Amino acid sequence: MAPSSDLLTRAVAKLIPKDLAEKKIASGQKLRIYWGIDPTGNKIHLGHSVPMRKMQAFADAGHEVILIIGSFTAMIGDPTDKGSMRQPLTQEQVKQNFESYKEQASKIFDFKKIQVRYNHEWLEKLGFDDVVRLGSNFTVQQMLQRDMFVKRMEEKKPIGVHEFLYPLMVGYDSVVLDVDCELGGTDQEFNMLAGRHLQQAMGKRDKFVMTVKMIEGTDGKIMSKTSLNCIYLTDEPKDMYGKLMAMRDDLITSYMECVTEIPMDEIKRVGKEIKSGQNPRDFKKFLAYEVVRMYHGEKEAKNAEEEFTRIFSQKGAPDDMPEIKAKKGELLMDLLVRAKMVTSKSDARRLIDQKAIHLNERCVESIDAKAEEGMVKVGKRKFLKII
């Protein structure tokens, strides 16, 4: 369990307003806190785990914690950080996604301490006149302050009127729940402040907004499904370990803070030792082991560490390398797609351009390379035997 002193600091990017947050926490009263998600996918990555861990920390500290499932708002589509309109989901798709999501979330959440609500319960009851009244609390200029809208207008890309309604809908969640705090990623700041504004306008309690840090993925960009740079909770232990070992050294302490329970004093010590010239690889191994242990257990973490050491320190190959039979005249990249070693042909082309695919220890340089018997290595962690 994280110390209560970490509630307003650990993995936190902003508190808006900070003085209100500190006052509410100092009061010692039980606060009502929520986090809303639109389950647009059915896999949770370490980036998602940051607000989830903060939610659980509040629940462990005795506060009332509510997880809102966007069963209505997912049918609109949040424009946040999107260069084009997101495809809305049906309630059935949301339900299916959340079933898988909840199973994975149980690795972090104690659902005995966390309420789950669906926002279609109140949003689908609103009439057109209700929506108009909600909209009267905002101006078009306020909505256009969102960076992604400005960018789309500059690029002459469409902005749907329904996308303007999204902050109203998620803001109304705050009104219905009458919360003391809403938390989410830094990309959700606009939506969360819309909720704060609506709570004030409708005579509800004054809430503070907590934005949590967004971690970078395996390519150095913010971790997201669309960037194909995620470390998923469902990743096999050896893949999870390998991805963490492949990340940049300057992300070690950030990951320790945001996705583990390693004490902050220990993390600060690690940061000082890296700056003083200590080999960051040792701390990265400790981090990778800890994350795999959290999601797969001690035994799998130990096995993943041993295999990584054997393959990359001793230049070996995994014992359980998958096998596939090549078709006559088959292109290597088609075989890799079929074996699910790459996500698509375009993914294979990108890896070939990056000289990240090797066949029988030779770098594959052409997309027209044919599959042949032997061992394929994709990136630093994936191996395949062609028979």
Side-chain angles (χ1 to χ4, degrees):
M1 183 187 301
S4 58
S5 59
D6 286 350
L7 283 177
L8 297 184
T9 55
R10 182 164 187 160
V12 174
K14 280 186 186 179
L15 292 169
I16 310 171
K18 185 178 179 181
D19 58 345
L20 178 63
E22 293 173 341
K23 180 181 177 181
K24 282 183 177 282
I25 288 292
S27 73
Q29 296 180 354
K30 185 177 182 178
L31 305 184
R32 185 178 300 152
I33 296 158
Y34 95 99
W35 175 49
I37 61 166
D38 288 348
T40 54
N42 57 12
K43 293 175 72 176
I44 298 176
H45 56 63
L46 287 184
H48 296 135
S49 79
V50 184
M52 295 171 72
R53 298 188 67 78
K54 182 60 69 175
M55 286 271 283
Q56 187 60 49
F58 273 107
D60 290 340
H63 297 288
E64 181 183 357
V65 174
I66 307 167
L67 172 65
I68 295 295
I69 309 303
S71 49
F72 188 93
T73 44
M75 296 189 297
I76 298 175
D78 181 11
T80 298
D81 198 31
K82 300 290 188 295
S84 59
M85 285 185 280
R86 192 182 77 183
Q87 291 300 311
L89 301 179
T90 65
Q91 279 193 18
E92 185 59 32
Q93 287 173 314
V94 171
K95 182 179 178 182
Q96 290 175 355
N97 284 345
F98 184 61
E99 286 178 1
S100 174
Y101 191 101
K102 186 175 182 180
E103 181 181 351
Q104 296 166 61
S106 296
K107 294 177 179 287
I108 300 172
F109 282 157
D110 177 356
F111 279 100
K112 293 178 181 177
K113 296 182 178 180
I114 294 176
Q115 299 178 45
V116 179
R117 300 285 301 276
Y118 295 81
N119 65 11
H120 75 271
E121 295 172 14
W122 49 85
L123 289 177
E124 68 181 9
K125 295 176 183 177
L126 294 177
F128 196 77
D129 56 336
D130 297 314
V131 176
V132 171
R133 277 195 292 271
L134 283 176
S136 69
N137 291 287
F138 299 92
T139 66
V140 170
Q141 287 88 343
Q142 285 176 305
M143 293 298 177
L144 289 176
Q145 287 175 7
R146 303 195 77 176
D147 292 343
M148 74 289 300
F149 288 155
V150 174
K151 183 178 179 182
R152 277 203 235 159
M153 286 191 295
E154 289 174 348
E155 296 175 352
K156 301 190 184 319
K157 292 181 178 179
I159 302 171
V161 173
H162 69 289
E163 294 182 282
F164 276 11
L165 297 179
Y166 189 90
L168 300 184
M169 301 295 102
V170 294
Y172 191 64
D173 291 347
S174 286
V175 173
V176 171
L177 297 174
D178 194 16
V179 295
D180 293 287
C181 168
E182 179 180 2
L183 68 86
T186 54
D187 61 336
Q188 290 297 313
E189 181 178 321
F190 185 95
N191 291 338
M192 293 192 288
L193 288 176
R196 181 169 194 265
H197 178 67
L198 279 179
Q199 275 189 239
Q200 292 172 327
M202 303 183 80
K204 301 291 183 176
R205 71 184 77 181
D206 199 5
K207 86 168 184 182
F208 67 91
V209 165
M210 173 184 286
T211 61
V212 294
K213 296 177 181 179
M214 298 179 69
I215 61 171
E216 294 173 286
T218 53
D219 61 356
K221 299 177 183 177
I222 292 298
M223 190 175 290
S224 71
K225 298 185 292 290
T226 53
S227 295
L228 303 175
N229 64 354
C230 298
I231 302 172
Y232 290 104
L233 269 57
T234 54
D235 279 344
E236 291 295 318
K238 62 181 180 181
D239 292 333
M240 181 181 281
Y241 191 99
K243 287 180 180 180
L244 287 160
M245 289 300 296
M247 73 183 190
R248 296 201 319 259
D249 294 343
D250 62 332
L251 298 179
I252 293 173
T253 55
S254 176
Y255 266 61
M256 285 183 171
E257 176 185 357
C258 293
V259 306
T260 78
E261 293 184 359
I262 298 169
M264 287 303 299
D265 288 344
E266 176 72 6
I267 296 171
K268 290 175 183 176
R269 183 189 65 79
V270 168
K272 289 179 181 178
E273 293 196 14
I274 291 175
K275 285 182 180 179
S276 68
Q278 184 84 9
N279 189 345
R281 184 182 180 85
D282 296 332
F283 300 113
K284 198 183 291 185
K285 288 175 68 176
F286 173 65
L287 168 65
Y289 186 97
E290 179 63 15
V291 174
V292 175
R293 183 198 65 75
M294 288 165 55
Y295 295 110
H296 295 285
E298 199 83 42
K299 181 180 178 181
E300 292 292 355
K302 186 176 181 180
N303 290 340
E305 182 178 61
E306 289 176 350
E307 177 154 324
F308 182 88
T309 300
R310 184 170 62 81
I311 293 173
F312 296 99
S313 298
Q314 302 172 10
K315 300 190 181 300
D319 296 327
D320 59 347
M321 193 177 1
E323 296 183 357
I324 190 169
K325 185 174 179 63
K327 298 177 182 177
K328 185 177 180 179
E330 185 174 20
L331 293 178
L332 178 61
M333 71 174 187
D334 289 335
L335 179 141
L336 293 176
V337 172
R338 186 161 60 88
K340 298 182 179 179
M341 297 290 285
V342 295
T343 57
S344 62
K345 288 185 179 181
S346 59
D347 186 29
R349 291 190 187 97
R350 176 180 62 81
L351 290 167
I352 289 171
D353 289 341
Q354 294 174 353
K355 301 188 184 303
I357 297 179
H358 292 77
L359 175 59
N360 294 325
E361 298 187 357
R362 301 190 310 272
C363 180
V364 176
E365 298 182 347
S366 171
I367 61 173
D368 297 321
K370 296 290 178 65
E372 61 182 59
E373 289 186 13
M375 186 181 78
V376 181
K377 182 180 177 185
V378 179
K380 295 181 179 180
R381 298 178 298 277
K382 295 182 179 180
F383 294 84
L384 176 69
K385 185 176 182 179
I386 303 177
I387 57 177

